[in-house]
Amino acid sequence: MTVVVRREAGVPAAPPPGRVDLWLVPRPVSLRADELAWGELDAGERARAGAFVRPGDRLLYTAAHVALRRLLGGYTATRPEKVRLRREPCPGCGRPHGRPVLAPPAPPLHFSLSHSGDLALVGVAARPLGVDVQRLPGAEAVALCLPALHPDERAELLAVPAGAARQALFGRIWTRKEAYLKGLGTGLHRPAGADYLGADPARHPAGWTVLGIPCGPGHAASAAVHGTPPAVAEVRQWPESWLRAGAPVHPPTTSQQKGGTHVRSTGHDRDRGHLPPSRRRAARDAADGPRG
């Protein structure tokens, strides 16, 4: 699979089965929260935004949800405030805290949203998916989370010297794990150590393709897509001007796909060095043909 970073602005048509659309939404730097399109959020979203203690967290949450509504509205030709969202039942317990979905009657469009630090990530596809973005943790946070991981993930992390390299590797493993669990609809109600999402893609859960998302320094990001591996994942950045109240409701549609930078990686290449030599070749072969 190929990851393509698109440089041109504009929302494309809704993704076909062979494509995943990924949108990076940086925390605004020139807009305040009250300048964003608050009126397009529903009452629950406004209440959750208002509950954040730190202004920066409130700003990122609001930006992420304005972008999500405008993006889904653009894909479905619906005004953002008319986009209706609900939760599927959790596959583990049946309670209504599973994957967020468009309320019926919904088009065959799935989405996932994550935000952390200074960045949000929205994924949209024609099949179930999960996305996750995390600010890279400190050494104490990595040490605290290590016992919850799969034993082989712990071994890979402990094989790397403590410091920035271990923290970056942890970020890649953890975002793969959260993306997969969000795609399942369980989130962390399923034990974090139940599934292996380490450096060897051949051992990842069957039926899912997991890929790393280029997102710049300080963060890690991943997506997990169910079913047949998509041919391409297209990564775009949401312009800050599209978040402002009074800006065009539906961002302009891209008429041609051009200006892309192709990245031949699903995020595992840099991790293979942490595997025992006997497993590196198998992992390299598996990355060339992700599991369906």
Side-chain angles (χ1 to χ4, degrees):
M1 179 173 59
T2 302
V3 177
V4 180
V5 179
R6 294 289 184 192
R7 302 302 184 189
E8 80 281 4
V11 176
R19 192 183 85 218
V20 177
D21 286 356
L22 299 157
W23 291 83
L24 297 169
V25 185
R27 183 166 61 185
V29 295
S30 61
L31 294 175
R32 302 186 309 272
D34 59 3
E35 295 178 291
L36 306 184
W38 272 80
E40 295 172 5
L41 305 184
D42 66 21
E45 289 168 318
R46 291 195 294 272
R48 287 189 290 274
F52 282 101
V53 174
R54 292 185 292 188
D57 294 339
R58 183 183 311 118
L59 180 61
L60 179 61
Y61 176 92
T62 305
H65 283 259
V66 168
L68 174 68
R69 285 184 167 272
R70 291 190 163 190
L71 182 58
L72 294 177
Y75 281 130
T76 62
T78 306
R79 290 192 61 82
E81 67 273 17
K82 299 294 185 183
V83 172
R84 295 171 51 241
L85 308 176
R86 67 177 182 88
R87 289 274 185 175
E88 290 185 331
C90 171
C93 69
R95 299 178 64 184
H97 56 235
R99 291 189 306 114
V101 294
L102 288 165
L109 197 68
H110 299 264
F111 70 92
S112 183
L113 169 66
S114 177
H115 47 84
S116 174
D118 299 316
L119 191 63
L121 174 63
V122 180
V124 182
R127 81 279 295 277
L129 81 162
V131 302
D132 190 60
V133 62
Q134 297 286 336
R135 173 182 280 169
L136 292 180
E140 289 186 4
V142 172
L144 183 66
C145 293
L146 267 176
L149 297 179
H150 187 282
D152 291 343
E153 295 168 344
R154 290 201 301 271
E156 291 172 14
L157 282 161
L158 292 174
V160 177
R166 183 183 292 179
Q167 291 159 217
L169 176 59
F170 176 87
R172 294 193 293 273
I173 291 174
W174 190 261
T175 56
R176 290 175 201 147
K177 187 174 296 289
E178 285 225 39
Y180 167 65
L181 294 176
K182 290 168 74 173
L184 281 182
T186 64
L188 289 173
H189 292 277
R190 181 178 174 88
D195 307 284
Y196 171 83
L197 275 301
D200 186 352
R203 300 177 57 209
H204 288 179
W208 290 83
T209 300
V210 183
L211 60 147
I213 309 303
C215 63
H219 292 77
S222 297
V225 187
H226 186 252
T228 305
V232 64
E234 297 189 351
V235 183
R236 294 175 172 82
Q237 182 163 307
W238 189 270
E240 184 173 315
S241 61
W242 292 1
L243 299 169
R244 185 188 294 272
V249 171
H250 299 317
T253 300
T254 302
S255 58
Q256 292 183 340
Q257 301 299 319
K258 59 185 179 181
T261 300
H262 292 254
V263 182
R264 178 61 185 91
S265 173
T266 55
H268 300 90
D269 295 343
R270 74 190 86 175
D271 294 351
R272 290 193 197 114
H274 308 310
L275 291 172
S278 62
R279 286 170 49 197
R280 289 178 195 169
R281 183 180 298 277
R284 186 166 55 246
D285 294 343
D288 291 337
R291 295 171 60 172

